[in-house]
Amino acid sequence: MAWEYYLVVMLVYLGTDLLAVWGLNLEFGVAGIANLAYIVVVAAGAYAYAIVTLGPSSGNGGFQTYIGGFTLPFPLALLVGAAAGALVGTLIGLTGLKRLRQDYQGVAMLVVSLMVTTIVSADIGLFNGTAGLALIPNPFSNLDPDTARWAYVALVAVCCLIGFVVLRRFTTGPMGRTLRAMRDDDTAASAAGKDVVRLRLVVQAVGGAFGGLSGALLAGFIGGWSPSAWAYIETLAFLSCIIVGGRGSDLGVSLGTLIIAVLLLQGVQFLPQIASSPGLSEDFGWIILGAATIAFIWFRPQGVLKERRPRYRGESPSKLPG
Amino acid sequence: MQLIIEAIGFGIATGAVIALGAVGFSVQFGISNILNITYGALMTLSAYIGLVLINHGINAWAALAISAVAVGAVSVIYHRILLAPLVRRGTRAIAMIIVTVSAGTILQYVIVAIAGPSSQSYGEQSGQTFHFLDLTLSFGQVTIIVLTAILMLALHLLLTRTTLGKAMRATSSNRTLARSCGIATSRISDIAWFISGCLCGAAGVALAITTVSFDFSLGALFLIPMIAAAVLGGIGQPYGAMLGGMIIGISSEVAAAVSNPNYKDVVAFVILIIVLLVRPRGLFGAAWSSRRLMEG
Amino acid sequence: MALAATGPLLEVDHLEKHYGGVRAVDGISFTVERGSITGLIGPNGAGKSTALAMIGGFVQPSGGRIRFDGVDITGMAMHARARIGLVRTFQMARVFGNLTTLENLLVAAPRQRGERAAGVVGGRRAWRSQEKELVSEAQAMLETFSMAQKANDLAGTLSGGQKRAVEIMRALMMQPKLLLLDEPMAGLSPSLSRHLEDVLLKLADGGLSLLLVEHELETVDKLCGKVVVMAQGKVLSEGRMSELRLSREVQDAYVIG
């Protein structure tokens, strides 16, 4: 049934987008790193998943070329995807070694994102160039199609559950507090004994693992992955979820993901299509997304759900939370 | 050897376009301390305005001038109504970057919605070619090199010989001090954003003239060599951006000639990363600008 | 090392900083003794703040050495200096604006289990007991600074004087051996200044060493045992404030500067 198919697609997208947004929120919302190359770690996870689950490049009639081809089982492949994201995330994080101004670093990462797309598109031997990879194995392909779809939703749900538990270890408690201090004023954080450069690399590795896992799950579900799926503006979509939802708030950015990534960007596809310009509704989605992002930065920079800080009770009644 | 000499000729033409763009980008950063990523989309806008004009039978060079002025005006308005108020409200640099990326995305998709996603072309330019030594350059390339040289000279004279230029340099190096010296810094900002917007517009049409075909991603992809040139020269330093543009243009064309042309931008990218890691203030960055770029 | 523990806490040896051709700090040498309050004074542009920034690790020197507690720290990163007990505050008070006042204090505590890999993996159980102790320590400190009622307010909403207080409390949470203070009285009301002076004197009585850059000579007179006078990047003279007031050299530097 069509509606059931749409529902499955939406749920899978919601789950994979949540993982990516959580990872980026850890970097941007919590630790203050404007990682404008975040989509590259998602792509790394997707390609890594693809090339370790696919058979050898020569084995399928040679219609696509790529490195790797190990026919690994999917749980292992998901881990490889997350690891690839962590590795690439750390590499992108190396642009932060010089402790440059945050916006300057953001621009450097934007250029990284544009550059990686250019290289992967141009090099056919790496991941089959612009055409991208197809026939990426679905882990449940031996089940009947309906069961397989819902099995995938369950897989994504389990990953999100595990992801959320891991995420909270970094965003709450002393670790979350230290990262937020670094976001608010990294010079003062250094003066307070925090190794800012190291913390940023750690955060970009962890955030990268989230993005990598998101990409791996997406590639396994769609069955294909190409440079058009990870243009640099996809990072803006994730950032938009964070800014609209409430930067730094795990619950807020999850709400933002539902509003922006699912309701807006997927929702516009249900707008009536104009035959003469088929891409118009999608263009419209991006225009609204950009406008919403700017509007929130202008009118409500804290987002829909503001980041909440823990309150402590002391002995005197004046210190009770008001 | 012949191949490399030809590549150098092409590189000078490419470098001229990059320099046009990078100088404008650098001037905006110098005057307002904003890294304006919308710049790429504004170049695309200019290329499409130029396309409309040329399709209406207007000469390509007249189209370049008109588009440049139009984008200059759009830049001033954009800075006035969006960027400057946000900065006044204390929006952090990290959020400003997201604002300029968002505005660029909006503009890019408005262009796609109106003009469609397909590739466009300015059509055949004059087939006339020029030969210097072993170089062969098209009429378009030579004109762009000359035009860039004239614009850069004009900018140089403006910055060094006029009161306006001195006020711009003063505002660029210390805005608060300039204001307390009686310089109307917001008017100076408007003028600087107009001039840099004109350079952005000129670069957009020049880029469209020198490429076979273009689409809505024209400006976004140009961000790689342009930012590399601006950073190499020392961002905020117009002269640095001129030299940076030439270095990036020539080295990427030479690299493309001796290896895979698809990797043209890789050279620009590698230069950018090396500069960021070794000397973030660039070739010409003074001590003050490096302090502005480093945290704190 | 036994020898080091008895020597001066901080030794600055021919420290230099050039910006282009300008010598902001031109070969200064002085020491800070254990348990003392040392003042660093001089006219505007004398290089005091640059000197302090180099000692704190915010600016890399062009030449010379800095030793702290017997260890050469010249090339050491700012956070590493903070961890061995050399803690600085800023001229413009810097707080973590989106954390509460109490959290601003907690975040500075050294050796937090929850910040380490084991604490992150182990979760709440790994750090709960330590956190509880830190919270009561921080609450006690807020009481001493009469700021207990602000504990749960976001630090960004505090007044300038309160932010200064938060910064000093945050520095104290780090259990420093030497506190570098850059014009701590700037922008404070006279009554708040008096209050802060008393607090600093009490801290020094408790064995903490302080190096103070200050414009207000009254404050310097009241607090500092030894005073180092800088002018045009050099150390002009050093001694007790009462002696220095009589020195022609110092008077001239202040008049000319």
Side-chain angles (χ1 to χ4, degrees):
Chain A
M1 279 205 282
W3 68 266
E4 193 186 332
Y5 175 73
Y6 277 125
L7 184 64
V8 166
V9 171
M10 289 294 152
L11 287 173
V12 170
Y13 281 180
L14 174 64
T16 53
D17 283 340
L18 276 175
L19 284 169
V21 168
W22 288 340
L24 183 57
N25 183 46
L26 177 64
E27 296 185 12
F28 170 71
V30 176
I33 306 161
N35 187 355
L36 290 174
Y38 189 73
I39 195 64
V40 174
V41 303
V42 177
Y47 282 124
Y49 179 88
I51 61 168
V52 298
T53 51
L54 280 165
S57 176
S58 51
N60 49 31
F63 85 97
Q64 56 182 3
T65 52
Y66 47 85
I67 54 169
F70 306 117
T71 339
L72 290 186
F74 84 91
L76 205 57
L78 288 179
L79 286 179
V80 171
L87 178 69
V88 172
T90 312
L91 289 176
I92 294 170
L94 292 179
T95 54
L97 282 184
K98 269 299 210 187
R99 305 241 297 126
L100 295 167
R101 231 171 73 162
Q102 286 292 284
D103 56 339
Y104 202 50
Q105 225 163 67
V107 169
M109 291 197 242
L110 176 73
V111 173
V112 167
S113 191
L114 287 163
M115 196 63 235
V116 177
T117 316
T118 312
I119 293 175
V120 171
S121 302
D123 195 322
I124 297 199
L126 202 55
F127 306 118
N128 207 38
T130 314
L133 297 171
L135 300 181
I136 301 167
N138 184 308
F140 306 115
S141 50
N142 49 353
L143 303 176
D144 76 282
D146 271 346
T147 324
R149 278 203 283 273
W150 285 104
Y152 211 92
V153 173
L155 171 67
V156 171
V158 169
C159 288
C160 283
L161 215 61
I162 298 170
F164 194 72
V165 172
V166 174
L167 177 78
R168 296 293 285 177
R169 293 284 161 93
F170 284 92
T171 58
T172 62
M175 187 66 180
R177 185 168 63 208
T178 297
L179 295 178
R180 286 169 218 266
M182 180 171 88
R183 168 198 67 193
D184 284 358
D185 188 333
D186 53 1
T187 305
S190 302
K194 310 301 175 196
D195 187 345
V196 168
V197 172
R198 197 182 128 261
L199 281 170
R200 285 207 180 120
L201 280 176
V202 169
V203 162
Q204 288 196 272
V206 176
F210 273 85
L213 181 61
S214 165
L217 284 168
L218 209 52
F221 181 71
I222 304 171
W225 191 256
S226 69
S228 64
W230 50 284
Y232 75 98
I233 53 164
E234 301 289 338
T235 305
L236 179 66
F238 295 141
L239 282 171
S240 185
C241 299
I242 292 169
I243 286 164
V244 170
R247 68 180 282 205
S249 158
D250 293 327
L251 201 62
V253 300
S254 306
L255 182 69
T257 308
L258 187 68
I259 298 170
I260 296 291
V262 178
L263 295 182
L264 176 65
L265 287 187
Q266 300 304 322
V268 289
Q269 292 177 2
F270 296 98
L271 287 176
Q273 295 287 324
I274 299 164
S276 57
S277 38
L280 200 61
S281 54
E282 207 175 308
D283 303 342
F284 205 56
W286 282 104
I287 293 169
I288 296 173
L289 180 139
T293 311
I294 294 175
F296 266 86
I297 290 176
W298 185 298
F299 294 108
R300 198 176 160 81
Q302 70 272 39
V304 174
L305 289 181
K306 192 178 185 302
E307 173 182 299
R308 287 172 62 89
R309 302 308 312 146
R311 300 174 146 266
Y312 295 86
R313 254 173 250 239
E315 295 82 27
S316 94
S318 65
K319 276 178 279 173
L320 287 172
Chain B
M1 198 56 216
Q2 176 59 28
L3 196 68
I4 290 177
I5 291 172
E6 265 174 31
I8 290 174
F10 266 77
I12 294 171
T14 310
V17 181
I18 297 172
L20 271 182
V23 169
F25 184 77
S26 233
V27 166
Q28 289 182 351
F29 177 77
I31 211 90
S32 300
N33 209 5
I34 297 170
L35 291 164
N36 176 22
I37 298 303
T38 320
Y39 202 88
L42 284 166
M43 278 179 67
T44 312
L45 174 70
S46 181
Y48 276 87
I49 295 174
L51 180 71
V52 172
L53 294 171
I54 289 170
N55 286 347
H56 280 76
I58 291 169
N59 171 288
W61 305 105
L64 185 143
I66 298 169
S67 303
V69 173
V71 171
V74 171
S75 283
V76 175
I77 297 167
Y78 172 56
H79 176 250
R80 259 280 173 102
I81 67 169
L82 188 66
L83 300 184
L86 277 169
V87 169
R88 271 201 303 276
R89 295 157 63 108
T91 308
R92 291 176 67 166
I94 191 171
M96 289 307 292
I97 279 291
I98 295 169
V99 169
T100 63
V101 173
S102 299
T105 304
I106 295 174
L107 183 54
Q108 179 174 320
Y109 278 95
V110 167
I111 293 170
V112 181
I114 295 170
S118 50
S119 284
Q120 307 286 347
S121 165
Y122 282 180
E124 277 302 301
Q125 300 298 315
S126 148
Q128 200 178 347
T129 53
F130 289 80
H131 302 274
F132 307 102
L133 306 171
D134 285 342
L135 302 178
T136 307
L137 291 172
S138 72
F139 175 74
Q141 286 174 318
V142 172
T143 315
I144 285 166
I145 293 169
V146 173
L147 181 77
T148 303
I150 293 170
L151 286 175
M152 294 298 110
L153 184 67
L155 184 70
H156 166 70
L157 293 176
L158 173 80
L159 287 175
T160 53
R161 300 288 166 83
T162 64
T163 331
L164 173 67
K166 282 173 191 152
M168 279 172 66
R169 284 191 296 153
T171 308
S172 182
S173 64
N174 189 333
R175 194 180 187 84
T176 324
L177 189 63
R179 194 181 297 129
S180 63
C181 291
I183 295 172
T185 49
S186 71
R187 204 174 62 92
I188 296 297
S189 287
D190 282 350
I191 295 169
W193 277 79
F194 179 73
I195 292 171
S196 57
C198 288
L199 290 172
C200 169
V205 177
L207 185 61
I209 289 174
T210 50
T211 49
V212 182
S213 69
F214 64 92
D215 64 11
F216 61 92
S217 65
L218 178 85
L221 289 175
F222 191 70
L223 287 172
I224 300 174
M226 189 188 74
I227 291 174
V231 169
L232 174 62
I235 198 155
Q237 307 286 327
Y239 303 112
M242 293 176 201
L243 184 69
M246 280 298 158
I247 294 174
I248 298 284
I250 293 171
S251 55
S252 51
E253 291 292 349
V254 168
V258 297
S259 67
N260 183 346
N262 286 326
Y263 288 159
K264 205 162 91 172
D265 282 342
V266 173
V267 177
F269 179 69
V270 169
I271 291 176
L272 173 68
I273 294 298
I274 292 172
V275 174
L276 280 178
L277 291 178
V278 177
R279 195 181 158 87
R281 74 175 95 133
L283 295 176
F284 290 91
W288 61 264
S289 73
S290 100
R291 249 182 314 195
R292 286 208 311 190
L293 288 174
M294 304 300 278
E295 287 165 358
Chain C
M1 278 294 121
L3 224 158
T6 56
L9 184 56
L10 179 77
E11 297 165 77
V12 174
D13 185 17
H14 292 94
L15 202 59
E16 292 177 24
K17 181 69 194 178
H18 315 155
Y19 290 111
V22 185
R23 291 170 170 267
V25 172
D26 194 5
I28 57 165
S29 303
F30 64 88
T31 60
V32 174
E33 302 300 324
R34 287 164 199 276
S36 74
I37 303 186
T38 304
L40 188 56
I41 64 168
N44 275 330
K48 307 173 301 252
S49 285
T50 310
L52 205 67
M54 285 192 281
I55 298 167
F58 191 51
V59 170
Q60 270 304 308
S62 318
R65 319 288 323 160
I66 307 166
R67 292 170 71 80
F68 177 72
D69 211 5
V71 183
D72 189 324
I73 58 160
T74 314
M76 199 185 258
M78 180 154 52
H79 69 89
R81 295 182 200 212
R83 285 179 187 178
I84 58 168
L86 176 60
V87 176
R88 67 165 298 185
T89 65
F90 295 87
Q91 203 165 3
M92 296 284 289
R94 301 177 89 141
V95 296
F96 305 119
N98 294 305
L99 299 185
T100 64
T101 303
L102 190 72
E103 280 187 300
N104 263 270
L105 271 56
L106 293 175
V107 79
R111 294 176 294 277
Q112 292 185 49
R113 282 183 215 128
E115 277 184 347
R116 299 193 194 141
V120 171
V121 174
R124 194 174 293 272
R125 251 185 321 218
W127 47 262
R128 194 167 41 195
S129 63
Q130 188 195 26
E131 179 82 356
K132 221 169 162 182
E133 286 166 25
L134 289 178
V135 169
S136 29
E137 188 188 332
Q139 280 174 334
M141 197 177 287
L142 285 172
E143 292 285 355
T144 3
F145 278 75
S146 331
M147 279 193 58
Q149 76 283 6
K150 296 285 182 190
N152 290 323
D153 289 11
L154 291 186
T157 64
L158 299 176
S159 73
Q162 289 168 335
K163 282 182 182 162
R164 178 71 45 80
V166 167
E167 206 183 30
I168 290 171
M169 287 187 280
R170 197 173 66 204
L172 294 176
M173 283 296 286
M174 299 172 66
Q175 301 159 355
K177 291 179 185 145
L178 174 63
L179 197 53
L180 307 175
L181 297 165
D182 197 353
E183 305 208 9
M185 305 302 167
L188 293 193
S189 71
S191 70
L192 262 175
S193 294
R194 297 295 88 78
H195 184 68
L196 186 54
E197 283 172 10
D198 293 342
V199 170
L200 294 179
L201 280 172
K202 223 175 276 172
L203 288 170
D205 282 345
L208 177 66
S209 311
L210 298 166
L211 176 61
L212 190 70
V213 166
E214 185 52 69
H215 232 75
E216 196 56 58
L217 293 185
E218 299 296 319
T219 305
V220 176
D221 207 4
K222 189 170 163 195
L223 295 179
C224 303
K226 183 172 82 176
V227 176
V228 178
V229 187
M230 279 185 74
Q232 293 171 331
K234 293 188 191 316
V235 170
L236 209 57
S237 80
E238 58 174 272
R240 297 196 58 83
M241 196 65 221
S242 48
E243 303 157 17
L244 291 171
R245 275 187 193 285
L246 305 173
S247 147
R248 262 310 282 277
E249 250 186 329
V250 175
Q251 284 172 359
D252 286 351
Y254 263 84
V255 172
I256 296 162

